[in-house]
Amino acid sequence: MSEDKCPVCGIDKISLWCCDCSPIICPHCGQVVRWFGEDADSNPCEHVLAWGTFGNSFIVWENKNVKLKFREFCFKKSSAVDESILKYSNDLANCADWLLDDFAKEEGLICLWDEIEGFWYGNGAYALFTGIDGKIMELLDRYNALKMKISERKKSFDRFITLLEDETTWLISPASTRFHLAQERGLLKHSVGVAETLLRFREFLAPKISEESCIITGLFHDVGKLGAPGKPYYLPNDNEWMVKNRGICYKTNPEVITMGLTVRSLYLISQYISLSEAEAQAIAYHDGQYIDENEIVAHREEPLTLLIHWADYWTAHIYEEGRDKTL
């Protein structure tokens, strides 16, 4: 077999899906870390400091400064552990997994793994990332906790999440161009907050509504703000005067086809997740009667629609504005 092919599945080594493995996602920007391929002179994004296989030094890329720091770290460790464990640690490959974890903790870095039994070149793959702000890490932990609660529609939910995380700006998109969380990860922060608030309201007001419905509608009610795969709706504003004098840090992408926000949200979601009528209504009319077009459902809202409207408003105007501290 050609050296450019995986000896197990025959797929090109540059494939992200070789041997049915799942790609590691950068916790900063959502880019996929490239595991395979002989071209180790580049990395997928600025946050990656090293990546490769563990258990085998077949493929590895590393930042020179990190490489030197890791060697110093191993030298310090050599007096405390069996030297044989460290002998392959000069290039961050073929070393014990706990060693990279300890190094990451000491340097304030993030180390992610995918340990898949039967990997054709070893036991798995790793990626070492720059450190991340504590508040961002907390947000990602809350986000992951919500994802773990999905069970009945887990397969379709996971497929949609994979699309969002791999092919859109879901993990880094702002929530608006200027006012409402017009900042990196603003949309994720708001979406996670709405889902969490919706779950709290459900517990006391409508426990018969499933948690899964609350998470799906809460997490994805504004997903239309992403635009489309490969075409982000919000772009950094290249007009420095507007940024400095008007505070308009983002602009909308003219290449994204014009449609209502909730229409795009339903368009994106429905391609992957089967929604109930109540869930569709909740997403379509979550802004409530603040929107003239929503009068069509006035006094005929489903309980979930009312709950998500309250959760959306409460999250945006109480939690995100810090007004909950006075309650």
Side-chain angles (χ1 to χ4, degrees):
M1 181 173 289
S2 168
E3 292 183 356
D4 294 329
K5 304 286 185 179
C6 165
V8 172
C9 66
I11 296 178
D12 291 342
K13 290 177 185 176
I14 61 171
S15 170
L16 295 172
W17 304 104
C18 178
C19 303
D20 294 324
C21 62
S22 300
I24 295 176
I25 306 299
C26 174
H28 294 274
C29 64
Q31 293 294 313
V32 175
V33 176
R34 187 185 297 273
W35 291 353
F36 301 95
E38 297 300 331
D39 179 11
D41 294 328
S42 62
N43 57 334
C45 71
E46 61 183 350
H47 308 109
V48 178
L49 298 175
W51 59 266
T53 67
F54 60 91
N56 189 306
S57 57
F58 185 69
I59 299 171
V60 66
W61 178 89
E62 55 197 9
N63 175 285
K64 291 182 180 179
N65 291 331
V66 170
K67 180 177 182 177
L68 291 175
K69 285 187 177 181
F70 187 68
R71 286 182 175 178
E72 293 174 0
F73 174 79
C74 291
F75 180 77
K76 289 189 297 182
K77 284 281 186 179
S78 62
S79 60
V81 299
D82 185 349
E83 187 176 348
S84 63
I85 295 177
L86 305 174
K87 67 179 180 179
Y88 296 114
S89 301
N90 288 336
D91 61 359
L92 286 164
N94 207 17
C95 65
D97 53 2
W98 62 265
L99 197 60
L100 274 177
D101 281 334
D102 286 354
F103 173 67
K105 290 177 182 177
E106 183 169 303
E107 294 293 325
L109 306 176
I110 299 171
C111 190
L112 299 181
W113 305 89
D114 195 289
E115 301 184 47
I116 301 178
E117 186 176 354
F119 245 41
W120 60 275
Y121 54 80
N123 296 320
Y126 74 88
L128 197 64
F129 299 92
T130 55
I132 196 167
D133 181 88
K135 290 183 179 180
I136 297 174
M137 185 62 76
E138 179 190 9
L139 172 62
L140 294 174
D141 287 343
R142 290 161 53 204
Y143 168 57
N144 288 324
L146 290 170
K147 293 195 294 184
M148 293 295 291
K149 290 179 178 288
I150 301 298
S151 57
E152 291 185 12
R153 287 172 281 183
K154 178 174 173 54
K155 187 174 181 179
S156 57
F157 177 87
D158 287 348
R159 286 178 58 233
F160 187 48
I161 283 290
T162 297
L163 170 81
L164 296 182
E165 293 179 349
D166 292 1
E167 300 183 36
T168 76
T169 55
W170 170 242
L171 295 176
I172 59 171
S173 175
S176 70
T177 59
R178 185 179 185 183
F179 295 114
H180 179 219
L181 293 180
Q183 58 190 242
E184 190 171 275
R185 294 185 180 84
L187 180 59
L188 184 65
K189 178 180 179 180
H190 177 67
S191 301
V192 168
V194 170
E196 291 174 335
T197 304
L198 185 51
L199 287 172
R200 296 188 191 102
F201 287 174
R202 167 205 168 271
E203 180 181 0
F204 294 103
L205 298 176
K208 290 185 178 180
I209 297 176
S210 72
E211 285 192 342
E212 187 158 301
S213 284
C214 292
I215 293 171
I216 288 175
T217 56
L219 204 55
F220 301 141
H221 74 286
D222 272 347
V223 77
K225 290 185 176 182
L226 292 176
K231 291 183 180 180
Y233 185 62
Y234 294 123
L235 300 172
N237 195 343
D238 51 7
N239 186 322
E240 295 182 5
W241 188 92
M242 294 291 283
V243 173
K244 181 179 179 180
N245 296 285
R246 297 285 180 84
I248 305 176
C249 298
Y250 295 89
K251 63 181 182 180
T252 56
N253 187 349
E255 294 185 6
V256 175
I257 293 177
T258 301
M259 66 179 76
L261 164 64
T262 59
V263 173
R264 182 178 287 109
S265 294
L266 288 172
Y267 166 71
L268 290 171
I269 299 168
S270 61
Q271 293 181 70
Y272 292 85
I273 302 174
S274 178
L275 298 174
S276 68
E277 287 184 289
E279 290 169 344
Q281 187 196 74
I283 292 171
Y285 301 104
H286 71 266
D287 282 322
Q289 296 307 307
Y290 289 96
I291 306 297
D292 292 340
E293 291 80 359
N294 290 357
E295 186 179 359
I296 191 174
V297 297
H299 307 296
R300 293 188 293 275
E301 297 95 339
E302 290 294 309
L304 182 59
T305 303
L306 293 173
L307 286 183
I308 195 172
H309 171 58
W310 297 335
D312 185 31
Y313 194 89
W314 191 271
T315 300
H317 296 284
I318 304 300
Y319 289 144
E320 292 169 7
E321 293 178 7
R323 293 164 60 189
D324 58 309
K325 297 178 176 61
T326 63
L327 298 177

